[in-house]
Amino acid sequence: MTTLLALDKASGATLGSVAATTAADVDAAVERAAQAQAGWAALTYAERAAVLRRAAAELGARAAALRELIVRETGSIPGKADYEIGAATGELYEAAGLASRPVAEVRPSNHAGRFSLAERVPLGVVAAITPWNFPLVLGMRVIAPALALGNAVVLKPSPETPLSGGAALAELFEAAGLPPGVFEVVQGGAEVGERLVVHPATAMVHFTGSTAVGRSIAATAGGLLKKVSLELGGNNALVVLDDADVEQAAMIGAWSSFHYQGQTCITAGRHVVHAAVADAYVAALTARAAAIRVGDPHTDAVGLGPMINGRQHARAAELLSAAVADGATVLTGGPEPVPYFRPAVVTSVHPGMRLWREEIFAPVAPVLVVADEEEAIRVVNDTEYGLVNSVVTADQRRGLAVARRLRGGMAHVNDATPQDEALAPFGGIGQSGLGGRSGGDDNLDEFTQRRWLTTTEVAPHYPY
Ligand code: NAD
């Protein structure tokens, strides 16, 4: 039996371990979930909601231990761990309310005497495949609404975060009294995920992760005619207009690019700045970046922790050095000995550079100077991704007008790119996702399917 180790990303210490799930055990987990689902869906909404509220209470009771686990297993500062725990709690409470939303609507019928109902029914077993960066909340964002609406869930977290992304969630729902089998966790890498995707009893695959893996899952699921929902990568932009308050813009810019070492799908990987404020903006952003302390967030009061692994560290270092070889200037920051990476500000970039075109997933802020608003919009929209963008301006109306013209599923005026709320329609377009949204009532469409049901008192007359 293979064992997966959960490591402290700063010190390398072992935090615990889980058994990797074998292919046969993945099948058994899916089959247990399929068996348990109908009984779970048959409970009253109040019974399902009560389990979700108890899970929220259990999360509260475990907050201190979970905080330490997230800090160490994901390498994040405590504030990010607190955000995850708070957001996961919010997901559970919103999902408890979702359980009692109307499950059907009466549709007008063109047939006299026909009662026509558009019902919402659960999909069955939802497979959730999640990344390592926000393991608790990105799992909960699927599990809570899917369960609320009568589905069973089989979760596969990233092998980087088997505890905060998997085992901790299993313990939470067990303590909350969820019937056995309704929520299963399987542990492992790509092969375990692939098994979940192809298993005939998983009705839907909800995937959060990289665009490359999302594309391969979509191809497999497409061949099987299985529903998929994809939350993928981004190459998000922060636009600073000529009327922006430069200090405020630099604060928003620093948070957008450096928050959690730049390792989120909603990190700003491109700063598009009007020439009128470019020098002042770059100076303010550089000063903020240089002042951030980097180190072990478990033992020190730092602003940034370690990179998730050596591979991500090496990739970001390579993107940065390739940009420098192509004429870019690094004003501050860059790779330190693994696992650390100081927040970097990079100028003299051009849109052909990989540093500009690809998702960097590290604390790097490349800045491109533009002559006017139209050029800013053109530059931002020149990407295959489409997750989130932000606009900073003194004129909110102007900001909204620009935000509406930016390619993406989400846009913010005068705030950072990393934003999420339980009720927000979160998601991307293009290479950032299939266009589905999670959050609020969008979860009804995500985790149920329609069944058309009619009943007629007297059958109509047919010709034969
Ligand atoms: P990843 O794509 O490497 O892995 C994500 C998950 O998929 C992991 O659990 C992994 O084990 C599994 N997996 C890998 N190959 C698989 C396969 N062939 N079949 C089935 N499952 C497979 O991503 P990551 O490195 O864990 O996370 C970083 C990526 O996630 C970034 O690109 C980031 O932008 C994206 N992300 C997107 C969102 C969003 O909401 N849009 C949120 C967070 C992260």
Side-chain angles (χ1 to χ4, degrees), residues 334-354:
E336 298 277 306
V338 175
Y340 297 109
F341 203 108
R342 284 209 52 80
V345 178
V346 190
T347 54
S348 304
V349 296
H350 63 75
M353 289 176 174
R354 283 179 61 210

Side-chain angles (χ1 to χ4, degrees), residues 129-133 138 141 156-159 188-191 193-194 197 207-211 213-214 216-217 231-234 264-265 312 359 361 387 426 432:
I129 302 176
T130 53
W132 46 262
N133 55 355
L138 293 179
R141 190 165 79 172
K156 193 206 81 65
S158 164
E191 61 302 333
E194 281 163 9
V197 174
F207 172 78
T208 308
S210 62
T211 298
V213 173
S216 95
I217 287 177
E231 296 280 2
L232 307 178
T264 84
C265 55
Q312 288 289 127
E359 184 183 48
F361 239 57
L387 197 53
F426 189 100
S432 294

Side-chain angles (χ1 to χ4, degrees), residues 157-440:
S158 164
E160 290 282 4
T161 50
L163 301 182
S164 55
L169 285 157
E171 285 164 19
L172 191 72
F173 282 104
E174 193 184 341
L178 186 70
V182 177
F183 174 54
E184 294 277 336
V185 175
V186 292
Q187 299 276 9
E191 61 302 333
V192 175
E194 281 163 9
R195 190 87 183 184
L196 272 184
V197 174
V198 299
H199 195 292
T202 54
M204 172 194 187
V205 180
H206 191 293
F207 172 78
T208 308
S210 62
T211 298
V213 173
R215 196 180 290 124
S216 95
I217 287 177
T220 307
L224 297 167
L225 302 180
K226 189 172 289 197
K227 178 173 179 169
V228 276
S229 177
L230 304 175
E231 296 280 2
L232 307 178
N235 188 9
N236 316 298
L238 176 80
V239 178
V240 182
L241 296 180
D242 51 343
D243 60 356
D245 174 321
V246 168
E247 271 308 324
Q248 200 185 14
M251 179 186 69
I252 291 170
W255 185 255
S256 296
S257 283
F258 307 144
H259 166 77
Y260 184 46
Q261 295 84 265
Q263 300 176 122
T264 84
C265 55
I266 43 189
T267 293
R270 300 179 294 159
H271 294 228
V272 179
V273 185
H274 193 286
V277 290
D279 288 348
Y281 177 76
V282 167
L285 185 65
T286 304
R288 282 176 185 272
I292 297 173
R293 287 193 65 203
V294 179
D296 182 343
H298 180 49
T299 55
D300 298 312
V302 295
L304 295 189
M307 300 291 291
I308 196 75
N309 56 39
R311 199 164 22 88
Q312 288 289 127
H313 185 278
R315 180 174 176 272
E318 192 243 307
L319 283 178
L320 198 58
S321 59
V324 170
D326 198 12
T329 307
V330 180
L331 297 180
T332 183
E336 298 277 306
V338 175
Y340 297 109
F341 203 108
R342 284 209 52 80
V345 178
V346 190
T347 54
S348 304
V349 296
H350 63 75
M353 289 176 174
R354 283 179 61 210
L355 189 75
W356 189 259
R357 304 212 72 80
E358 295 182 16
E359 184 183 48
I360 311 169
F361 239 57
V364 180
V367 182
L368 189 82
V369 181
V370 292
D372 55 34
E373 204 173 285
E374 288 305 317
E375 188 185 354
I377 294 167
R378 233 182 7 259
V379 163
V380 172
N381 290 347
D382 180 18
T383 177
E384 293 183 327
Y385 289 106
L387 197 53
V388 61
N389 299 291
S390 283
V391 184
V392 188
T393 169
D395 180 346
Q396 221 177 334
R397 268 198 308 187
R398 186 181 174 203
L400 279 174
V402 172
R404 288 200 168 102
R405 292 178 60 196
L406 300 180
R407 176 184 161 83
M410 305 177 283
H412 307 294
V413 176
N414 290 333
D415 212 337
T417 52
Q419 306 290 339
D420 191 15
E421 292 184 35
L423 291 177
F426 189 100
I429 62 169
Q431 300 297 298
S432 294
L434 278 186
R437 294 292 177 268
S438 60

Side-chain angles (χ1 to χ4, degrees), residues 119-138:
E119 270 193 317
R120 283 191 185 278
V121 293
L123 298 163
V125 179
V126 173
I129 302 176
T130 53
W132 46 262
N133 55 355
F134 284 74
L136 186 76
V137 69
L138 293 179

Side-chain angles (χ1 to χ4, degrees), residues 101-119:
R101 297 304 311 276
V103 290
E105 64 191 31
V106 178
R107 298 271 172 101
S109 173
N110 258 338
H111 293 245
R114 172 182 279 178
F115 182 68
S116 174
L117 206 60
E119 270 193 317

